Amino acid sequence: MKKKFDPIQLVEDDGNTIMDVGGWSIKKYRLAGHYCNIFTQAMRNKWNLIYLDLFSGPGYVRLKESKQIIKNSALIALSLEHKFDHYIFNDLSKENYDSLSQRIQDSEYDGSYSIYNEDANHCIQKVLQERPSFNNGKGNLTFCFLDPFSLNLTFETVKELANENVDILMLHALQMDGNRNLTYYIREENERIASFTGNPHWREGFEKMGNFKGDFMRFLSEEYDRNIQSLGYLNTIKEMIKNNTGRGIYYLAFYSKHPLGIKFFEESRKRIDEQLDLF
C-alpha cells in the first residue's frame, strides 16, 4: 500500500539559517502542503502550474518545543511527487534568501524556479512579469502562499495577484499584530490597517462596533473578506491556528475564484485533521 503523503519532513541541521517557530506551525505547513499536493495531482495536465511564495523564509524551521528541524512551505512545495512547472520564491531577509538558495541547490530538484531578495510589496509586478513563457497552449494557474508575520502585506499587492488566475492561502496576523498594536493603529496618522485592508475609512466601521479591542480581530477579518471578494474571490474559508494554550493567534484564509479550489482546500483540511496526532 502506498504511504499517505505527509508534508512534514524532518531534516538535519546543515549549517545554514534556521528560523525558530512554535509547534502550531505544523498545522500551517500541513495545510499548505496538502493543498499543493492535491492541486498538482489534479491540475498538472490541464495548466502550467506555478507556485508563488512571497515570504519564503530560509527553507528550514526549528520547532521551539521539540527542537526538531523540518522543511518549511517552500521546500515542502519543492518536494512534491508531482512538481509545479515553475516556482517563485522571495524573502526580504538576505540570510533567508541565501539559505534557501543554497538548500535548493543542494536538493535533487533540477527544474524551473526564480528566487528574489526583495520587499514583497515592491516586487510583485516584477516577479509576475518574469515568469517563463511556456508556449504550449495551456494557460497558467498559480497557487500563492502568503506567510507574513505582521500586517505588512498591502492590499495593493493582493490586487495585483487578483488580476491573475491565482488561488491564495494567506496568514492573517490579526492577533499577533492587529490586537497587540491596536493602540498604535487606531491613531489617525497610522496607515497600516488602511494599507492592509485597502480601506482608508476603516476606522468609521470599527467605531460603529464600539472600538472594543476584543472585536478588532473579527472586524479586520470581516473587512478583509468583503474587500477581497470585491476582486472576484468566492466566500473565504478560514482555519484558526491556536498556540499551545489553545488561544487563537492567527487565521489561515483561503481565497479562490473557482469552486474547485474551494473543494481542494476542504479536502486539505480533512487530511490535516487526520494527521494532527502523527507528529
Side-chain angles (χ1 to χ4, degrees), residues 7 26-35 239 241 252 267-277:
I26 290 174
K27 186 175 183 179
K28 172 177 68 176
Y29 294 134
R30 274 208 170 107
L31 194 53
H34 276 303
Y35 191 83
E239 186 74 26
I241 304 296
L252 285 173
E267 178 60 28
S268 303
R269 296 174 79 189
K270 291 178 185 177
R271 294 188 186 184
I272 63 166
D273 287 342
E274 294 170 357
Q275 292 181 319
L276 284 179
D277 59 347

Side-chain angles (χ1 to χ4, degrees), residues 212-229:
F212 296 119
K213 184 174 182 179
D215 290 331
F216 193 46
M217 187 172 175
R218 177 168 63 88
F219 169 79
L220 286 179
S221 179
E222 292 175 354
E223 178 69 22
Y224 203 93
D225 289 350
R226 283 192 294 271
N227 292 339
I228 200 166
Q229 285 165 19

Side-chain angles (χ1 to χ4, degrees), residues 35-228:
Y35 191 83
C36 287
N37 189 47
I38 295 169
F39 184 86
T40 54
Q41 286 190 61
M43 311 306 287
R44 67 185 189 276
N45 295 323
K46 303 173 184 177
W47 300 88
N48 301 309
L49 300 182
I50 298 170
Y51 177 84
L52 174 58
D53 196 332
L54 292 178
F55 302 85
S56 57
Y60 284 6
V61 294
R62 181 186 289 108
L63 303 175
K64 293 177 182 177
E65 298 83 0
S66 67
K67 306 305 179 186
Q68 292 173 304
I69 302 171
I70 62 175
K71 293 181 179 180
N72 78 349
S73 55
L75 291 187
I76 290 171
L78 212 62
S79 305
L80 300 170
E81 178 182 359
H82 301 293
K83 303 287 192 291
F84 287 82
D85 297 295
H86 182 70
Y87 292 83
I88 303 171
F89 305 109
N90 175 72
D91 201 279
L92 181 59
S93 163
K94 184 64 163 58
E95 270 193 322
N96 287 348
Y97 167 83
D98 288 341
S99 295
L100 181 59
S101 298
Q102 187 61 55
R103 286 173 174 137
I104 295 173
Q105 292 175 28
D106 292 342
S107 73
E108 297 179 356
Y109 179 72
D110 60 356
S112 176
Y113 74 96
S114 308
I115 185 165
Y116 298 86
N117 175 211
E118 302 193 33
D119 185 319
N121 292 314
H122 298 157
C123 73
I124 184 62
Q125 291 184 345
K126 175 181 178 180
V127 302
L128 292 175
Q129 290 170 358
E130 292 182 357
R131 289 170 300 180
S133 297
F134 296 97
N135 298 321
N136 56 11
K138 295 192 290 186
N140 294 342
L141 179 59
T142 300
F143 171 64
C144 179
F145 184 50
L146 299 171
D147 190 16
F149 292 122
S150 68
L151 302 179
N152 64 334
L153 182 69
T154 71
F155 197 73
E156 289 301 311
T157 297
V158 176
K159 284 175 69 174
E160 290 288 341
L161 292 170
N163 291 328
E164 307 280 333
N165 195 7
V166 180
D167 286 352
I168 300 173
L169 179 61
M170 180 178 178
L171 184 149
H172 287 296
L174 304 183
Q175 175 65 34
M176 297 188 300
D177 186 7
N179 267 2
R180 184 178 297 173
N181 295 302
L182 173 58
T183 54
Y184 301 104
Y185 294 157
I186 200 70
R187 297 172 183 171
E188 287 293 334
E189 69 273 15
N190 194 299
E191 299 180 355
R192 172 59 68 91
I193 302 303
S195 178
F196 172 70
T197 62
N199 180 8
H201 308 294
W202 66 271
R203 290 177 181 84
E204 297 173 9
F206 188 48
E207 287 172 2
K208 291 178 181 178
M209 295 180 65
N211 273 358
F212 296 119
K213 184 174 182 179
D215 290 331
F216 193 46
M217 187 172 175
R218 177 168 63 88
F219 169 79
L220 286 179
S221 179
E222 292 175 354
E223 178 69 22
Y224 203 93
D225 289 350
R226 283 192 294 271
N227 292 339
I228 200 166

